[in-house]
Amino acid sequence: MVIPVHDVNPVRRTPYVTYALIAANVVVFLLTPGIAGSVAGQSDLSQLCHLQAFLEHYAAVPRELVHDQLPRLVPTGDVGIGPNGPGCVVAPPTYHKSPPLSILTAMFLHGSWLHLLGNMLFLLIFGNNIEDRLGHLRFALFYLACGYAAAYGFAYLNDTSGAPLIGASGAIAGVLGAYLVLYPRARVWVLVPFLIFLPLRLPAWIVLGFWFALQAIYSSGNGVSSAGTVAYAAHVFGFVVGMILAWPLRPGTPPPPEPRGLLWGRQARARHGW
């Protein structure tokens, strides 16, 4: 897996929405109940129960999205003693939850620093150009549309699942899909793990095409021992929807500048293309 660090594709306007989304995701992560212990690696049962109750309330759940069936018992955040020892107390919910609205709140929740930072890195590198092309308001609507499409697509494939679905990955996958359509030849600096991390400058169609291929493979259950907590299928849905929404803008999108300098470890001419 390659790690993108920068793209050679300047923007004409400040990407305020992209910056605001990154800031909001970081703030929500730091304010999420029970997350402090997981960040420090010292989670206790009380913190886990608080986090479980919070996610039950604000995360998207496939079963709820498809069937609109809310659970009769949910974690309260308290710790109790049961027949099998200490555990999280469950009780009838004291709140009303809207499944469609839970997709919006879930898009700002992350389960770990790695989850958060990985998503924000991709959004920072590729989101500014899509916002520059769409404009601030249209980019915000595009981001939400890709996030909702990713969540509902994953939910219909896993309609009996009660596991919480969180993260901005689906919406950001839509940004990547749009970038592939609009700027396939833009150069992206990446780090390739090969004994050490090797810096290479590759065209976006290789970087993003490889990323999408991995998500498609993993979503089918191949290449991983278990899907675990990663909703690879949501990434696939978001990416495809992003491509579809961006396709009408492709003819009027100016190409990125042709960079000079080192490429693949050798001198590249300004007219060299892919």
Side-chain angles (χ1 to χ4, degrees), residues 37-50:
S38 66
V39 171
Q42 300 174 346
S43 298
D44 57 24
L45 182 57
S46 176
Q47 290 173 325
L48 291 175
C49 290
H50 275 89

Side-chain angles (χ1 to χ4, degrees), residues 20-264:
L21 288 171
I22 293 173
N25 276 278
V26 172
V27 169
V28 171
F29 177 79
L30 294 176
L31 295 179
T32 300
I35 207 68
S38 66
V39 171
Q42 300 174 346
S43 298
D44 57 24
L45 182 57
S46 176
Q47 290 173 325
L48 291 175
C49 290
H50 275 89
L51 179 59
Q52 195 176 90
F54 183 82
L55 294 181
E56 187 67 44
H57 189 178
Y58 293 105
V61 178
R63 184 171 56 206
E64 297 173 3
L65 293 175
V66 177
H67 304 293
D68 197 22
Q69 295 178 349
L70 301 180
R72 292 182 297 173
L73 298 175
V74 297
T76 64
D78 299 322
V79 177
I81 305 297
N84 299 321
C88 298
V89 176
V90 295
T94 59
Y95 53 82
H96 173 71
K97 180 179 182 181
S98 168
L101 185 59
S102 70
I103 296 178
L104 178 61
T105 55
M107 288 168 61
F108 293 90
L109 301 176
H110 293 83
S112 68
W113 274 113
L114 183 61
H115 188 199
L116 172 71
L117 295 178
N119 278 345
M120 296 305 101
L121 176 64
F122 276 82
L123 179 58
L124 178 64
I125 294 173
F126 301 105
N128 59 348
N129 291 104
I130 304 306
E131 181 176 350
D132 187 58
R133 180 66 181 89
L134 297 179
H136 304 308
L137 179 58
R138 286 203 298 174
F139 175 71
L141 295 175
F142 168 86
Y143 184 90
L144 292 176
C146 292
Y148 268 79
Y152 271 111
F154 179 84
Y156 277 104
L157 291 180
N158 302 271
D159 63 320
T160 61
S161 173
L165 181 64
I166 61 173
S169 305
I172 296 172
V175 172
L176 304 186
Y179 197 100
L180 178 62
V181 167
L182 299 177
Y183 306 105
R185 296 193 176 193
R187 301 305 200 272
V188 181
W189 280 103
V190 299
L191 296 178
V192 180
F194 185 76
L195 300 180
I196 61 173
F197 284 99
L198 299 177
L200 292 177
R201 192 172 67 195
L202 304 176
W205 68 266
I206 290 182
V207 177
L208 299 180
F210 180 68
W211 182 89
F212 178 73
L214 283 180
Q215 307 310 302
I217 292 171
Y218 292 161
S219 68
S220 67
N222 296 316
V224 288
S225 57
S226 172
T229 58
V230 180
Y232 292 109
H235 303 172
V236 173
F237 279 107
F239 193 94
V240 172
V241 169
M243 291 184 66
I244 293 173
L245 293 178
W247 195 265
L249 301 175
R250 190 168 181 264
T253 301
E258 192 71 29
R260 295 177 180 271
L262 291 177
L263 181 66
W264 295 93

